[in-house]
mmCIF file of all heavy atoms in Angstrom:
data_model
loop_
_atom_site.group_PDB
_atom_site.id
_atom_site.type_symbol
_atom_site.label_atom_id
_atom_site.label_comp_id
_atom_site.label_asym_id
_atom_site.label_seq_id
_atom_site.Cartn_x
_atom_site.Cartn_y
_atom_site.Cartn_z
ATOM 1 N N ARG A 6 35.618 -8.805 -6.099
ATOM 2 C CA ARG A 6 34.461 -9.363 -6.784
ATOM 3 C C ARG A 6 33.344 -9.686 -5.799
ATOM 4 O O ARG A 6 32.190 -9.439 -6.088
ATOM 5 C CB ARG A 6 34.912 -10.617 -7.547
ATOM 6 C CG ARG A 6 33.799 -11.204 -8.398
ATOM 7 C CD ARG A 6 34.319 -12.386 -9.192
ATOM 8 N NE ARG A 6 33.278 -12.889 -10.025
ATOM 9 C CZ ARG A 6 33.355 -12.902 -11.344
ATOM 10 N NH1 ARG A 6 34.414 -12.435 -11.956
ATOM 11 N NH2 ARG A 6 32.345 -13.378 -12.044
ATOM 12 N N ALA A 10 29.718 -7.885 -5.817
ATOM 13 C CA ALA A 10 28.486 -8.656 -5.886
ATOM 14 C C ALA A 10 27.561 -8.301 -4.703
ATOM 15 O O ALA A 10 26.315 -8.201 -4.840
ATOM 16 C CB ALA A 10 28.783 -10.154 -5.907
ATOM 17 N N THR A 11 28.136 -8.110 -3.532
ATOM 18 C CA THR A 11 27.374 -7.766 -2.353
ATOM 19 C C THR A 11 26.744 -6.367 -2.555
ATOM 20 O O THR A 11 25.546 -6.165 -2.242
ATOM 21 C CB THR A 11 28.233 -7.802 -1.085
ATOM 22 O OG1 THR A 11 28.782 -9.105 -0.919
ATOM 23 C CG2 THR A 11 27.431 -7.396 0.131
ATOM 24 N N ALA A 13 26.065 -4.870 -5.390
ATOM 25 C CA ALA A 13 25.014 -4.946 -6.413
ATOM 26 C C ALA A 13 23.768 -5.582 -5.855
ATOM 27 O O ALA A 13 22.622 -5.131 -6.136
ATOM 28 C CB ALA A 13 25.534 -5.784 -7.618
ATOM 29 N N GLY A 14 23.902 -6.608 -5.017
ATOM 30 C CA GLY A 14 22.766 -7.233 -4.358
ATOM 31 C C GLY A 14 22.039 -6.268 -3.453
ATOM 32 O O GLY A 14 20.815 -6.231 -3.408
ATOM 33 N N LEU A 17 20.183 -3.661 -5.524
ATOM 34 C CA LEU A 17 18.981 -4.230 -6.144
ATOM 35 C C LEU A 17 17.923 -4.453 -5.092
ATOM 36 O O LEU A 17 16.720 -4.207 -5.321
ATOM 37 C CB LEU A 17 19.344 -5.577 -6.790
ATOM 38 C CG LEU A 17 18.136 -6.307 -7.446
ATOM 39 C CD1 LEU A 17 17.618 -5.528 -8.632
ATOM 40 C CD2 LEU A 17 18.527 -7.702 -7.877
ATOM 41 N N ILE A 63 24.441 -11.744 2.496
ATOM 42 C CA ILE A 63 25.024 -12.050 1.184
ATOM 43 C C ILE A 63 26.564 -12.113 1.308
ATOM 44 O O ILE A 63 27.183 -13.043 0.748
ATOM 45 C CB ILE A 63 24.572 -11.014 0.116
ATOM 46 C CG1 ILE A 63 23.071 -11.155 -0.175
ATOM 47 C CG2 ILE A 63 25.428 -11.150 -1.134
ATOM 48 C CD1 ILE A 63 22.538 -10.032 -1.062
ATOM 49 N N MET A 67 28.458 -15.743 0.819
ATOM 50 C CA MET A 67 28.989 -15.768 -0.545
ATOM 51 C C MET A 67 29.944 -16.946 -0.780
ATOM 52 O O MET A 67 29.964 -17.521 -1.859
ATOM 53 C CB MET A 67 29.691 -14.459 -0.861
ATOM 54 C CG MET A 67 30.067 -14.245 -2.269
ATOM 55 S SD MET A 67 28.667 -13.855 -3.285
ATOM 56 C CE MET A 67 28.095 -12.323 -2.639
ATOM 57 N N ILE A 72 23.663 -22.747 -2.723
ATOM 58 C CA ILE A 72 22.941 -21.606 -3.259
ATOM 59 C C ILE A 72 21.598 -21.416 -2.595
ATOM 60 O O ILE A 72 21.217 -20.323 -2.230
ATOM 61 C CB ILE A 72 22.742 -21.774 -4.801
ATOM 62 C CG1 ILE A 72 24.117 -21.693 -5.491
ATOM 63 C CG2 ILE A 72 21.796 -20.730 -5.356
ATOM 64 C CD1 ILE A 72 24.085 -21.975 -6.975
ATOM 65 N N THR A 75 21.840 -19.817 0.818
ATOM 66 C CA THR A 75 22.082 -18.377 0.724
ATOM 67 C C THR A 75 20.800 -17.633 0.415
ATOM 68 O O THR A 75 20.511 -16.590 1.037
ATOM 69 C CB THR A 75 23.140 -18.064 -0.357
ATOM 70 O OG1 THR A 75 24.336 -18.780 -0.071
ATOM 71 C CG2 THR A 75 23.427 -16.600 -0.456
ATOM 72 N N LEU A 76 19.988 -18.161 -0.476
ATOM 73 C CA LEU A 76 18.711 -17.494 -0.817
ATOM 74 C C LEU A 76 17.799 -17.489 0.406
ATOM 75 O O LEU A 76 17.161 -16.461 0.700
ATOM 76 C CB LEU A 76 18.069 -18.202 -2.006
ATOM 77 C CG LEU A 76 18.812 -18.198 -3.292
ATOM 78 C CD1 LEU A 76 18.033 -18.947 -4.378
ATOM 79 C CD2 LEU A 76 19.120 -16.781 -3.752
ATOM 80 N N ILE A 126 15.373 -12.371 -1.558
ATOM 81 C CA ILE A 126 15.738 -13.609 -2.321
ATOM 82 C C ILE A 126 16.163 -13.214 -3.732
ATOM 83 O O ILE A 126 17.155 -13.753 -4.263
ATOM 84 C CB ILE A 126 14.564 -14.572 -2.324
ATOM 85 C CG1 ILE A 126 14.391 -15.179 -0.930
ATOM 86 C CG2 ILE A 126 14.772 -15.678 -3.360
ATOM 87 C CD1 ILE A 126 13.177 -16.059 -0.749
ATOM 88 N N LEU A 127 15.447 -12.293 -4.343
ATOM 89 C CA LEU A 127 15.868 -11.826 -5.682
ATOM 90 C C LEU A 127 17.257 -11.168 -5.662
ATOM 91 O O LEU A 127 18.069 -11.436 -6.559
ATOM 92 C CB LEU A 127 14.814 -10.842 -6.203
ATOM 93 C CG LEU A 127 15.101 -10.238 -7.613
ATOM 94 C CD1 LEU A 127 15.015 -11.315 -8.647
ATOM 95 C CD2 LEU A 127 14.155 -9.116 -7.885
ATOM 96 N N ALA A 128 17.489 -10.352 -4.680
ATOM 97 C CA ALA A 128 18.818 -9.678 -4.574
ATOM 98 C C ALA A 128 19.913 -10.690 -4.346
ATOM 99 O O ALA A 128 21.006 -10.597 -4.954
ATOM 100 C CB ALA A 128 18.775 -8.663 -3.445
ATOM 101 N N ALA A 129 19.688 -11.683 -3.485
ATOM 102 C CA ALA A 129 20.715 -12.699 -3.228
ATOM 103 C C ALA A 129 20.954 -13.540 -4.484
ATOM 104 O O ALA A 129 22.098 -13.865 -4.795
ATOM 105 C CB ALA A 129 20.304 -13.587 -2.075
ATOM 106 N N ALA A 130 19.926 -13.814 -5.234
ATOM 107 C CA ALA A 130 20.066 -14.615 -6.474
ATOM 108 C C ALA A 130 20.912 -13.839 -7.473
ATOM 109 O O ALA A 130 21.789 -14.418 -8.151
ATOM 110 C CB ALA A 130 18.720 -14.974 -7.045
ATOM 111 N N MET A 131 20.671 -12.544 -7.581
ATOM 112 C CA MET A 131 21.462 -11.736 -8.536
ATOM 113 C C MET A 131 22.905 -11.644 -8.059
ATOM 114 O O MET A 131 23.835 -11.753 -8.901
ATOM 115 C CB MET A 131 20.844 -10.343 -8.619
ATOM 116 C CG MET A 131 21.322 -9.535 -9.821
ATOM 117 S SD MET A 131 22.952 -8.709 -9.624
ATOM 118 C CE MET A 131 22.745 -7.778 -8.183
ATOM 119 N N ALA A 132 23.157 -11.471 -6.788
ATOM 120 C CA ALA A 132 24.533 -11.387 -6.275
ATOM 121 C C ALA A 132 25.258 -12.738 -6.510
ATOM 122 O O ALA A 132 26.418 -12.738 -6.940
ATOM 123 C CB ALA A 132 24.525 -11.063 -4.826
ATOM 124 N N LEU A 133 24.573 -13.817 -6.362
ATOM 125 C CA LEU A 133 25.184 -15.126 -6.630
ATOM 126 C C LEU A 133 25.459 -15.313 -8.100
ATOM 127 O O LEU A 133 26.462 -15.904 -8.490
ATOM 128 C CB LEU A 133 24.304 -16.270 -6.113
ATOM 129 C CG LEU A 133 24.252 -16.424 -4.597
ATOM 130 C CD1 LEU A 133 23.214 -17.412 -4.188
ATOM 131 C CD2 LEU A 133 25.613 -16.763 -4.063
ATOM 132 N N ALA A 134 24.572 -14.826 -8.951
ATOM 133 C CA ALA A 134 24.767 -14.899 -10.373
ATOM 134 C C ALA A 134 26.000 -14.105 -10.806
ATOM 135 O O ALA A 134 26.772 -14.538 -11.680
ATOM 136 C CB ALA A 134 23.549 -14.407 -11.123
ATOM 137 N N VAL A 135 26.240 -12.963 -10.188
ATOM 138 C CA VAL A 135 27.435 -12.169 -10.491
ATOM 139 C C VAL A 135 28.674 -12.928 -10.072
ATOM 140 O O VAL A 135 29.654 -12.966 -10.820
ATOM 141 C CB VAL A 135 27.341 -10.788 -9.759
ATOM 142 C CG1 VAL A 135 28.672 -10.069 -9.833
ATOM 143 C CG2 VAL A 135 26.251 -9.950 -10.379
ATOM 144 N N VAL A 136 28.655 -13.552 -8.913
ATOM 145 C CA VAL A 136 29.818 -14.249 -8.411
ATOM 146 C C VAL A 136 30.073 -15.543 -9.160
ATOM 147 O O VAL A 136 31.197 -15.892 -9.451
ATOM 148 C CB VAL A 136 29.686 -14.511 -6.918
ATOM 149 C CG1 VAL A 136 30.711 -15.480 -6.417
ATOM 150 C CG2 VAL A 136 29.770 -13.238 -6.162
ATOM 151 N N CYS A 137 29.018 -16.271 -9.504
ATOM 152 C CA CYS A 137 29.163 -17.575 -10.184
ATOM 153 C C CYS A 137 29.387 -17.449 -11.668
ATOM 154 O O CYS A 137 29.528 -18.435 -12.352
ATOM 155 C CB CYS A 137 27.912 -18.430 -9.893
ATOM 156 S SG CYS A 137 27.726 -18.876 -8.183
ATOM 157 N N GLY A 138 29.368 -16.241 -12.165
ATOM 158 C CA GLY A 138 29.589 -16.059 -13.601
ATOM 159 C C GLY A 138 30.979 -16.420 -14.019
ATOM 160 O O GLY A 138 31.788 -16.881 -13.241
ATOM 161 N N ALA A 139 31.265 -16.150 -15.245
ATOM 162 C CA ALA A 139 32.579 -16.524 -15.776
ATOM 163 C C ALA A 139 33.677 -15.775 -15.015
ATOM 164 O O ALA A 139 33.511 -14.669 -14.585
ATOM 165 C CB ALA A 139 32.646 -16.153 -17.250
ATOM 166 N N ASP A 140 34.829 -16.428 -14.917
ATOM 167 C CA ASP A 140 35.973 -15.797 -14.236
ATOM 168 C C ASP A 140 36.643 -14.741 -15.053
ATOM 169 O O ASP A 140 37.437 -13.959 -14.535
ATOM 170 C CB ASP A 140 36.982 -16.883 -13.821
ATOM 171 C CG ASP A 140 36.468 -17.721 -12.667
ATOM 172 O OD1 ASP A 140 35.612 -17.205 -11.900
ATOM 173 O OD2 ASP A 140 36.894 -18.856 -12.527
#
Side-chain angles (χ1 to χ4, degrees):
R6 187 176 182 118
T11 301
L17 179 68
I63 291 172
M67 191 73 64
I72 292 174
T75 303
L76 298 179
I126 290 173
L127 179 68
M131 194 280 305
L133 288 173
V135 168
V136 168
C137 295
D140 287 335

